Amino acid sequence: MVTPVATISVVPNLPEPLRRLRELAYNLRWAWDYETIALFRRLDRDLWEETGHNPVLMLGRISQERLNAACQDASFMAHLQRVCQSFDDYMQAKDTWYERTYGHLPRPRIAYFSMEFGLTESLQTYSGGLGVLSGDHLKSASDLGLPLIGVGLLYQEGYFRQYLNADGYQQESYPINDWANLPVELQCDANGEPIKVSVDLPGRKLYAVIWKVQVGRVPLYLLDSNIPDNPAPEDRNLTDRLYGGDRRTRIRQEILMGIGGIRALEALGLRPSICHMNEGHSAFLALERIRQLMEEFQLSFNEAREIAAAGHIFTTHTPVPAGLERFGFDLIDEHFTEYYQSLGLTREQFLDLGRENMGDYDLFSMPVLALRLSSGANAVAKLHGRVSRKLWQWLYPGVPENEIPIGSITNGIHVPTWISREMETLLDRYLNPAWRDEEANPETWEDITHVPDAELWRTHARRRERLVAFARQQLRRQLEKRGALQSDIERADEVLNPDALTIGFARRFATYKRATLLFRDLDRLSKILNNPERPVQIIFAGKAHPHDTAGKELIRQIMSVARSEEFRHSLVFLEDYDINIARYLVQGVDVWLNTPRRPKEASGTSGMKVIYNGGLNCSILDGWWDEAYDRSVGWAIGNGEEYPESEADHQDYIESQALYNLLETEIIPLFYDRGRDGLPREWIAKMKNSMRILAPHFNTRRMVQEYTEQYYIPAYKRWMAMTTPNLEEGVAYANWLHRLEAAWAQVSVRDVQVPVRTINVGKDMEVVAHVALGELKPDDVRVQLYYGPVDQHGNITLEARAMDMQPLNQNGDGTYQFAAKVAYNTSGNRGVSVRVLPKHELLPTSFLPGIITWAR
């Protein structure tokens, strides 16, 4: 192997009239703009496919003759001019949603940290749903004009590419990404030298360069450690693979993303006011922001902690305790001993920031760290919010489960990325053009009822035909790579039926998602799929984590069934699931199937993508479907029952039977019950209901607007209040909180005076509480009357309400009187209690860990 004395960057030689093609290629707006994609396809359709839909690589490979010919093609040049005009209008727009809504405020800088970003199939910086959601978040932030920046890691090998061996068992390959031929740009200083940042590893520094991916108006900065400045191969290889390596690799990746990410923004002159941690992987960023404040303003850890936390938002995506990111204390000691000393903390104080008890031992939990150091936290669906509040209730002792300060913002999808060109054209014809910019407005979708049934059906049927053709091509390629018999390869062109009811199942192959639930009764499944009058077919896709042998076994089982003579025409598994395969599936299937064990699905977004393409959902009532479902828009498997782990096999039996019954008695008859015109009118009515009712809600425009309204802007206002014109207010708040925590043990409810034990409906009752506050004053606390129905055990249920009590006077014994009146509008047994909470105008929530006192 020869080491070069210099490296030369060879770039496409674009003729002057085509020079803006490079600008278009390096801005991923093309990934959700069909006109720009059509422009690149027009240059060379075959090359567009060969390069994996990568316009940068395409421009590097296309012949000079073809470029010169394009310059002389008046039609192509007119197309280029239209695309450039649209691009300029988009990039320079001044009337974005954000400007209209919050343009009167000083402009914050919001940094969105995620371990993965799924933006386009040619940029392998994602593994699945979390990454695609992150990518869609950036795209909608761009559309809305948010001042947002993405931060993550750039993986030399990305996530693995999947192929199946002759036995149907998943194998992994890791092709190397060539940054010179991808839409990423190295960030350099004024002298043209790469900007580098470093983080501390045991006995050395780890260096990284910064690459930028431009996503419309939003820049995404990705750190890369594969540079000569890191002599150790393990350091250079740190950013090789997404979710690869052992626990030591993972903690170092997360140190680089969290601490290194903050330092990268600092080096770029882009210090954020708000940091959004998308999952706990990036939680170390909170420590670095605290360290910055301490160093620059000579603050104590507690002062810097409270000021920094004002600008931290944490989103949890994990409803299953086993899926949380945790590290042993040995790894924390190895990597953070000097760091926590620089924060002025002891080892135990530092460990307490992330400590989670696992029964016989403790671990350092990244979600716990994020929750403790953030002012706002949310789950990603309403059901997931309830699950998360239960999961993290131990962090907030004494706080009723429904008041744990973890909200929920249901995920969505970026509609322009996932809607088919055909459906887009149809909606342009019949809906208000505002549907493209106001997809979160319910009125926009009311006109779907005016779309002729025949046109909607033909549009969807064309996408099903394209899906079948695509699946056949993919299957043929899979068989050729595997060295299959020529006869088997040729038979790939006979699988599937473009007119048959088509079901899609594609996702990460974790065992709780139960990909093989349909296979519990193969005889019954065979009768369903092979009915000559009413055929049904299923297309599977998805990857199992390289270390998940149980997930790999599910794929092997599906392949075994798909190869049998009985099922080979109607059941297909597509290898190497990625954004491109997902696009064909969600745009072409009739039914999207989802079968997780409730409540283990945080949200899920794949089923949302079919909504906008005329597909229907059939799912367990879990994740987003729990709040989306009603009988007019799709089908539910079961009624939301939850089973203990010990009854998993029984649960699978019950829910597989429910799924078979749904298919046999509802889904298949509805699809094939046609009128004289050949149209399934009732099915089409369900398609329209799904689009009309669900489309306004399950999109990232609505989602990002909610993040802005409920988290970003409130956090920014608190951050500004604490730091403008200096940190005086923030320091005062931190000191108040420190004084509150020190004095809270003195707080008690001495007496609660309830005047009667029986009261008539509609009558008022005044409750008086005598509260000892010690060193605190009434202005420091909220004393609340807590009242509601009681259960069979005599406890107040979670349907209770809380009402602030008003201070009356101070008693001679140093206690204070508080009073409130309550009226009951219905009869029954009701419980009454009193609680004391902290109160301050800069508190994001009154529910702080360990600070709540109840009457006894």
Side-chain angles (χ1 to χ4, degrees):
M1 188 174 293
V2 178
T3 301
V5 294
T7 301
I8 310 300
S9 178
V10 182
V11 298
N13 182 20
L14 294 175
E16 179 61 23
L18 303 182
R19 62 182 175 77
R20 293 203 68 189
L21 284 174
R22 186 182 188 281
E23 181 183 1
L24 295 174
Y26 274 90
N27 189 314
L28 264 61
R29 178 177 176 265
W30 61 258
W32 70 92
D33 183 70
Y34 279 115
E35 276 301 308
T36 313
I37 292 172
L39 181 72
F40 285 113
R41 283 168 58 92
R42 187 170 182 166
L43 267 177
D44 191 323
R45 182 190 181 112
D46 292 338
L47 192 55
W48 174 256
E49 297 300 330
E50 287 173 22
T51 57
H53 306 163
N54 176 0
V56 174
L57 180 58
M58 180 182 174
L59 293 178
R61 286 191 182 178
I62 197 167
S63 70
Q64 205 65 40
E65 291 77 14
R66 180 68 192 99
L67 293 174
N68 292 335
C71 292
Q72 305 305 315
D73 184 340
S75 178
F76 179 86
M77 294 305 297
H79 191 172
L80 172 61
Q81 186 175 1
R82 287 197 309 275
V83 168
C84 288
Q85 185 62 57
S86 172
F87 176 80
D88 291 340
D89 290 345
Y90 179 88
M91 295 297 292
Q92 297 166 13
K94 304 297 183 187
D95 62 340
T96 64
W97 172 84
Y98 184 86
E99 284 300 322
R100 293 194 304 270
T101 312
Y102 297 107
H104 61 283
L105 295 176
R107 196 169 177 83
R109 185 174 287 128
I110 305 161
Y112 179 88
F113 284 70
S114 184
M115 198 74 171
E116 48 176 307
F117 288 90
L119 295 158
T120 173
E121 55 269 29
S122 61
L123 191 59
Q124 293 289 322
T125 51
Y126 66 97
S127 72
L130 178 69
V132 171
L133 175 79
S134 300
D136 283 6
H137 193 112
L138 296 195
K139 292 172 183 176
S140 278
S142 171
D143 292 342
L144 292 166
L146 256 69
L148 187 134
I149 299 167
V151 181
L153 300 180
L154 190 65
Y155 304 100
Q156 190 75 56
E157 299 175 4
Y159 201 52
F160 70 91
R161 307 301 298 268
Q162 178 197 56
Y163 65 97
L164 305 182
N165 66 16
D167 190 41
Y169 197 76
Q170 174 181 294
Q171 305 288 300
E172 297 88 29
S173 66
Y174 294 88
I176 302 297
N177 287 309
D178 178 12
W179 306 136
N181 286 306
L182 282 164
V184 299
E185 296 182 285
L186 186 64
Q187 299 302 283
C188 297
D189 60 22
N191 298 318
E193 294 298 318
I195 298 172
K196 295 173 187 171
V197 296
S198 67
V199 295
D200 292 322
L201 291 186
R204 64 193 186 281
K205 288 189 179 296
L206 172 75
Y207 294 92
V209 293
I210 309 164
W211 298 81
K212 182 174 80 168
V213 179
Q214 192 65 39
V215 186
R217 302 179 181 105
V218 170
L220 166 62
Y221 296 102
L222 303 172
L223 279 74
D224 171 18
S225 70
N226 187 17
I227 56 176
D229 303 69
N230 297 316
E234 65 181 288
D235 293 348
R236 289 197 302 275
N237 297 341
L238 187 64
T239 53
D240 271 1
R241 297 180 182 178
L242 172 60
Y243 303 137
D246 56 14
R247 303 307 298 161
R248 181 171 281 103
T249 299
R250 286 293 286 270
I251 196 171
R252 291 178 179 179
Q253 284 185 337
E254 294 177 17
I255 288 169
L256 178 60
M257 180 171 68
I259 296 175
I262 291 295
R263 293 178 182 177
L265 294 180
E266 196 72 19
L268 294 165
L270 299 172
R271 177 175 291 194
S273 41
I274 305 300
C275 289
H276 183 170
M277 302 172 235
N278 193 42
E279 255 307 346
H281 308 118
S282 60
F284 291 137
L285 73 83
L287 300 172
E288 180 63 9
R289 294 189 86 208
I290 292 169
R291 189 197 63 78
Q292 280 183 341
L293 288 170
M294 292 177 66
E295 184 178 277
E296 291 180 26
F297 299 100
Q298 289 73 55
L299 303 179
S300 69
F301 175 81
N302 286 329
E303 290 169 339
R305 169 183 175 167
E306 299 307 328
I307 294 172
H312 295 159
I313 309 299
F314 168 56
T315 297
T316 175
H317 292 261
T318 310
V320 184
L324 299 171
E325 187 77 291
R326 305 181 180 99
F327 297 108
F329 289 170
D330 57 332
L331 287 174
I332 299 298
D333 289 337
E334 181 181 348
H335 294 89
F336 283 98
T337 298
E338 291 185 12
Y339 196 92
Y340 65 66
Q341 290 172 354
S342 73
L343 296 175
L345 298 178
T346 66
R347 177 178 183 270
E348 289 305 306
Q349 287 172 326
F350 186 81
L351 293 177
D352 284 345
L353 294 174
R355 188 186 301 272
E356 183 176 5
N357 182 263
M358 308 301 295
D360 297 333
Y361 57 94
D362 292 345
L363 290 176
F364 192 91
S365 165
M366 297 298 280
V368 170
L369 179 66
L371 285 166
R372 289 194 184 279
L373 298 182
S374 296
S375 64
N378 72 283
V380 290
K382 290 179 181 176
L383 176 60
H384 182 226
R386 297 197 293 273
V387 172
S388 297
R389 287 187 285 275
K390 184 174 184 177
L391 181 62
W392 298 113
Q393 190 174 16
W394 65 269
L395 269 174
Y396 303 88
V399 178
E401 185 180 303
N402 62 326
E403 293 185 289
I404 301 298
I406 299 175
S408 66
I409 291 181
T410 302
N411 283 343
I413 63 116
H414 184 247
V415 178
T417 294
W418 296 104
I419 192 169
S420 73
R421 182 68 181 269
E422 293 86 347
M423 189 62 73
E424 185 183 65
T425 302
L426 179 69
L427 297 184
D428 280 340
R429 210 156 44 236
Y430 291 99
L431 269 58
N432 185 316
W435 79 266
R436 287 176 172 272
D437 302 315
E438 299 177 17
E439 62 264 40
N441 182 354
E443 292 180 9
T444 301
W445 295 95
E446 288 297 324
D447 285 343
I448 200 74
T449 57
H450 300 317
V451 177
D453 287 0
E455 286 196 54
L456 180 60
W457 184 248
R458 281 199 303 269
T459 299
H460 180 67
R462 277 197 296 273
R463 288 308 313 187
R464 189 191 317 112
E465 290 168 4
R466 289 199 175 191
L467 169 60
V468 168
F470 174 78
R472 288 171 175 172
Q473 286 177 348
Q474 293 294 107
L475 186 58
R476 174 180 274 271
R477 289 186 190 128
Q478 290 170 200
L479 292 168
E480 288 172 348
K481 285 182 182 177
R482 210 175 295 142
L485 296 174
Q486 187 60 35
S487 57
D488 288 338
I489 295 172
E490 290 173 359
R491 286 198 301 182
D493 293 335
E494 301 171 5
V495 303
L496 304 178
N497 175 352
D499 297 317
L501 171 61
T502 304
I503 298 172
F505 183 101
R507 52 191 35 86
R508 183 166 55 91
F509 266 67
T511 51
Y512 78 85
K513 293 178 183 283
R514 299 187 297 177
T516 56
L517 189 67
L518 260 174
F519 293 5
R520 284 190 67 95
D521 188 337
L522 287 178
D523 290 338
R524 193 170 178 184
L525 180 62
S526 176
K527 291 174 184 175
I528 290 172
L529 300 190
N530 296 317
N531 183 330
E533 304 297 323
R534 296 182 166 189
V536 180
Q537 55 201 15
I538 309 173
I539 303 177
F540 286 90
K543 298 178 177 179
H545 188 278
H547 302 312
D548 184 0
T549 54
K552 290 183 177 182
E553 176 59 24
L554 293 178
I555 295 174
R556 193 198 63 76
Q557 290 174 24
I558 291 171
M559 286 299 297
S560 177
V561 173
R563 286 172 174 170
S564 67
E565 191 63 29
E566 196 173 359
F567 290 101
R568 70 175 186 82
H569 286 103
S570 56
L571 203 156
V572 169
F573 186 95
L574 301 181
E575 294 178 16
D576 203 27
Y577 185 44
D578 67 356
I579 286 176
N580 189 45
I581 292 175
R583 192 183 298 115
Y584 273 95
L585 282 169
V586 300
Q587 292 175 358
V589 298
D590 300 298
V591 175
W592 193 257
L593 181 64
N594 191 27
T595 53
R597 291 191 198 280
R598 176 185 166 114
K600 294 186 176 182
E601 182 94 296
S603 171
T605 57
S606 55
M608 300 174 188
K609 298 177 178 78
V610 305
I611 295 169
Y612 301 89
N613 292 289
L616 298 174
N617 279 275
C618 176
S619 175
I620 297 290
L621 289 170
D622 199 6
W624 77 281
W625 193 239
D626 181 68
E627 64 194 80
Y629 168 73
D630 75 50
R631 292 181 62 85
S632 70
V633 301
W635 297 274
I637 305 166
N639 295 302
E641 300 90 349
E642 296 179 18
Y643 295 76
E645 290 291 336
S646 60
E647 296 181 17
D649 190 64
H650 177 64
Q651 177 184 5
D652 289 353
Y653 172 77
I654 294 294
E655 293 179 344
S656 66
Q657 295 302 307
L659 177 53
Y660 293 137
N661 290 338
L662 268 179
L663 288 167
E664 292 166 342
T665 63
E666 293 190 37
I667 297 175
I668 296 171
L670 197 70
F671 184 86
Y672 283 107
D673 186 8
R674 310 289 172 96
R676 293 181 62 187
D677 55 5
L679 297 177
R681 297 283 180 179
E682 292 301 313
W683 185 280
I684 295 170
K686 223 173 181 71
M687 292 168 66
K688 288 184 174 181
N689 285 338
S690 175
M691 297 179 83
R692 179 176 57 83
I693 296 170
L694 303 182
H697 190 71
F698 295 100
N699 56 76
T700 43
R701 178 176 290 266
R702 181 271 314 158
M703 182 191 84
V704 174
Q705 285 177 344
E706 288 186 3
Y707 272 111
T708 305
E709 294 161 351
Q710 298 178 30
Y711 289 94
Y712 296 159
I713 295 302
Y716 180 61
K717 288 180 177 178
R718 290 184 66 249
W719 170 263
M720 290 294 287
M722 287 193 186
T723 59
T724 308
N726 51 46
L727 275 63
E728 186 176 320
E729 287 294 324
V731 170
Y733 166 73
N735 290 334
W736 169 84
L737 190 56
H738 181 67
R739 179 171 60 86
L740 180 98
E741 291 171 340
W744 197 259
Q746 304 167 21
V747 175
S748 65
V749 181
R750 296 282 180 83
D751 180 47
V752 179
Q753 297 172 357
V754 181
V756 295
R757 291 298 184 266
T758 302
I759 189 172
N760 293 328
V761 170
K763 294 291 187 181
D764 285 347
M765 176 181 70
E766 183 175 60
V767 177
V768 177
H770 297 264
V771 180
L773 296 179
E775 299 173 14
L776 302 178
K777 301 299 181 187
D779 286 345
D780 294 323
V781 298
R782 298 174 70 188
V783 179
Q784 291 187 324
L785 182 66
Y786 188 81
Y787 60 101
V790 294
D791 60 21
Q792 68 271 27
H793 304 295
N795 298 316
I796 301 176
T797 70
L798 295 182
E799 298 172 11
R801 299 174 64 185
M803 173 193 304
D804 283 350
M805 303 180 77
Q806 302 306 312
L808 296 180
N809 51 57
Q810 183 175 9
N811 299 327
D813 59 358
T815 62
Y816 295 84
Q817 286 187 26
F818 292 81
K821 288 183 179 179
V822 61
Y824 293 108
N825 298 318
T826 58
S827 61
N829 290 332
R830 300 291 184 267
V832 174
S833 188
V834 171
R835 67 187 184 186
V836 187
L837 301 164
K839 183 178 73 173
H840 193 286
E841 61 182 4
L842 291 177
L843 262 181
T845 172
S846 287
F847 300 105
L848 301 178
I851 303 183
I852 184 172
T853 296
W854 289 88
R856 296 185 180 276

